[in-house]
Amino acid sequence: MPRAQTAAPPATTRPTGSKPPRPKTDRRSEILAAAQRCFVRSGFHGASMHDICNEAGMSPGNLYRYFPSKEALIAGIAERDRAEVAQEFASADLSRGFFAVLEGMAYHHFSERPDEQVKLCTEIMSEARRHPEIARISAAFDADVRKWLIDLLRAGADRGDIARDLDFDAVTTMLMVIADGVWWRRALEPNFDAKALLPIFMDITRHMLGSRTANRVRAKEGAG
Amino acid sequence: MPRAQTAAPPATTRPTGSKPPRPKTDRRSEILAAAQRCFVRSGFHGASMHDICNEAGMSPGNLYRYFPSKEALIAGIAERDRAEVAQEFASADLSRGFFAVLEGMAYHHFSERPDEQVKLCTEIMSEARRHPEIARISAAFDADVRKWLIDLLRAGADRGDIARDLDFDAVTTMLMVIADGVWWRRALEPNFDAKALLPIFMDITRHMLGSRTANRVRAKEGAG
DNA sequence: TCTTTGAGAATGAACGTTCATTCTCTTGAT
DNA sequence: ATCAAGAGAATGAACGTTCATTCTCAAAGA
């Protein structure tokens, strides 16, 4: 059972601090990019460390100076993607109206995000079932997304774009479920046209968030 | 690159043809059940053939008389599950009303199907990306489900339970996407309460299938 | 009834390979 | 001379798979 530390870069000591000593871009990023290509091509278990070394143009001994294990590579990729998504949510601009923002994000998720990332995501999820460290990262990722989504919904409610008495938790869960499902299908069906689903997605979302129906908070049953 | 044949049972020669020679239940089923437990516990790659042999109470040599490779085990499980789901769809009884049937099936899918099968499903899907034979089985599975769902919708429309001018393909895709998403979350979040989503799911489904909105078939744009 | 026979079921040690990881050595800049 | 950066052969464990062999037992022959 291999260890799961994320391993700091191999001493980025810049003591005298004169000129930048890195002619190429950050070595760690290069390695992660190479690993990503290999994982997408052959899967986490199908890709050997030698494959990844070749792809990165680097010897095994050297690669291990940057990442302590194969698992740390997947963990590194997951963490990097998490930062990227954080960026996307942080840049949401509600002044265009709630549904415009949501549709933009949906379009991005359904269509713009490259297939590479979608496939990689399934690899990460599969490994999350086995490696606690990866499970931790992906659970944290998930909690982040949920929080951002709920904040977005609350802000939309404040603006009056959507109903105020929603069961925000349930609605958020449903949105995430749909998003997950879309990615699962994208990963599995090479020619799946997710963006064709956008109209219907926006339609049911408007319904969920706006009309007076089952997804509202209700008084708890069983009370006197 | 291992072969992918599904391997017939090891010669069920019954030449004289008198009494049934099987004292125990079918050996192949026992092996699949053992493999399923191992795959759920450790994943496809985490479970070794020796693990599976132990779980099945059988030596490797003997196990290989029933299945020609590890891959054939996953393929066998996938095929077995496909048959089971076929059963479920075949027994749908529309006389109770379309939405009652749909809600029953959703409840079954969200809650009753055991977590074991859900986890296993993610393993199968992951491997489908690598092994063509497994990809074939799971694509066939998918096509079956899609066909059954569309038939169900058509029947519901004939009964007058749902709208007649739906874009059946798009709606079916959306239903499958949601179903996929629910399973993905069930696999990832150990305490995910899918059945709490049922009301909201039924609500948006009624909306999709009944009201006059974006998910209707429209005249193709651009025509004269 | 007892023995022989033979075929299928099952065994488990061994094989060859693969793979993640480590070790040792070289290079090149300061 | 020192030390980070890198190379690549080496290592050893683990794995899927195979195969020579043994076990079981029902039926045929005596």
Side-chain angles (χ1 to χ4, degrees):
Chain A
M1 196 87 23
R3 293 288 212 61
Q5 356 162 354
T6 318
T12 320
T13 36
R14 193 98 303 276
T16 50
S18 49
K19 65 187 170 192
R22 245 180 251 104
K24 307 163 188 179
T25 83
D26 185 19
R27 239 48 187 105
R28 275 176 63 93
S29 304
E30 285 173 28
I31 295 172
L32 286 186
Q36 165 158 347
R37 286 191 294 276
C38 290
F39 290 153
V40 167
R41 192 191 307 128
S42 329
F44 181 73
H45 292 279
S48 73
M49 288 302 261
H50 284 281
D51 291 342
I52 297 169
C53 289
N54 285 342
E55 185 79 31
M58 183 180 293
S59 65
N62 199 30
L63 190 148
Y64 270 87
R65 299 196 334 112
Y66 294 89
F67 292 92
S69 70
K70 195 181 187 185
E71 185 197 340
L73 289 174
I74 271 271
I77 290 171
E79 204 108 59
R80 187 201 53 184
D81 287 358
R82 184 185 172 193
E84 188 181 318
V85 172
Q87 194 68 25
E88 183 190 353
F89 273 92
S91 70
D93 171 22
L94 260 192
S95 73
R96 293 160 45 225
F98 174 85
F99 284 106
V101 169
L102 192 72
E103 182 156 10
M105 282 174 39
Y107 181 77
H108 187 233
H109 183 83
F110 284 27
S111 270
E112 291 179 341
R113 298 281 291 276
D115 282 352
E116 262 214 356
Q117 273 183 30
V118 176
K119 287 173 187 162
L120 201 59
C121 186
T122 66
E123 294 295 328
I124 293 174
M125 292 306 172
S126 292
E127 292 314 308
R129 283 216 325 111
R130 279 184 266 303
H131 305 287
E133 172 67 6
I134 298 173
R136 219 211 60 229
I137 295 173
S138 97
F141 192 125
D142 228 69
D144 281 358
V145 171
R146 166 174 292 278
K147 185 178 160 305
W148 288 320
L149 260 181
I150 289 190
D151 285 350
L152 193 68
L153 289 174
R154 288 247 157 75
D158 286 345
R159 292 183 86 246
D161 288 343
I162 64 180
R164 252 169 232 84
D165 58 343
L166 289 173
D167 180 343
F168 286 98
D169 266 314
V171 168
T172 300
T173 301
M174 187 46 113
L175 288 175
M176 291 177 73
V177 159
I178 295 176
D180 287 350
V182 165
W183 268 34
W184 190 336
R185 287 215 95 71
R186 282 188 65 184
L188 246 73
E189 261 176 66
N191 298 108
F192 180 63
D193 180 17
K195 92 175 139 344
L197 274 187
L198 252 182
I200 201 171
F201 168 75
M202 288 308 294
D203 177 57
I204 63 181
T205 302
R206 275 177 215 276
H207 174 74
M208 260 201 299
L209 300 179
S211 72
R212 182 160 305 279
T213 45
N215 38 312
R216 301 309 178 87
V217 175
R218 296 176 190 281
K220 294 285 181 295
E221 319 164 52
Chain B
M1 198 81 28
R3 292 289 213 59
Q5 352 161 358
T6 319
T12 321
T13 35
R14 196 97 303 277
T16 49
S18 48
K19 67 189 166 191
R22 241 181 255 104
K24 309 166 187 180
T25 84
D26 186 16
R27 236 54 184 100
R28 275 176 64 92
S29 305
E30 284 174 27
I31 294 172
L32 286 186
Q36 165 157 346
R37 285 191 294 277
C38 290
F39 290 153
V40 167
R41 193 191 306 129
S42 330
F44 180 74
H45 292 278
S48 74
M49 288 303 262
H50 287 277
D51 291 342
I52 297 170
C53 290
N54 285 341
E55 186 78 32
M58 181 180 293
S59 64
N62 197 32
L63 191 149
Y64 272 86
R65 299 198 330 115
Y66 295 88
F67 292 93
S69 69
K70 196 181 186 183
E71 184 197 338
L73 288 174
I74 271 272
I77 289 171
E79 205 107 57
R80 186 203 54 184
D81 287 357
R82 181 184 173 193
E84 188 181 318
V85 172
Q87 194 67 24
E88 183 189 353
F89 272 92
S91 69
D93 169 23
L94 260 192
S95 73
R96 292 161 46 223
F98 174 85
F99 284 106
V101 169
L102 192 72
E103 182 156 9
M105 281 173 41
Y107 181 76
H108 187 234
H109 182 83
F110 284 28
S111 269
E112 291 179 341
R113 299 281 291 277
D115 282 352
E116 261 214 358
Q117 273 184 31
V118 176
K119 289 174 186 163
L120 201 59
C121 186
T122 65
E123 295 296 326
I124 293 174
M125 293 305 171
S126 292
E127 292 315 307
R129 285 215 321 113
R130 280 185 264 304
H131 306 286
E133 171 68 5
I134 298 172
R136 221 211 59 231
I137 294 173
S138 96
F141 192 125
D142 229 68
D144 281 358
V145 171
R146 167 174 291 279
K147 186 178 159 305
W148 288 319
L149 260 181
I150 289 190
D151 286 350
L152 193 67
L153 289 175
R154 288 246 156 76
D158 286 345
R159 293 181 87 247
D161 289 342
I162 65 178
R164 252 169 233 82
D165 58 343
L166 288 173
D167 181 343
F168 286 100
D169 265 315
V171 168
T172 300
T173 301
M174 189 45 114
L175 289 175
M176 291 176 74
V177 160
I178 295 176
D180 287 350
V182 165
W183 269 34
W184 190 336
R185 288 215 94 73
R186 281 188 66 184
L188 245 73
E189 261 177 66
N191 297 108
F192 180 64
D193 180 19
K195 94 175 135 351
L197 273 187
L198 251 180
I200 203 170
F201 168 75
M202 288 308 293
D203 177 57
I204 64 181
T205 302
R206 275 176 215 276
H207 175 74
M208 260 199 301
L209 301 179
S211 72
R212 180 159 306 280
T213 45
N215 38 312
R216 302 311 178 85
V217 176
R218 296 176 190 282
K220 294 284 181 296
E221 318 164 53

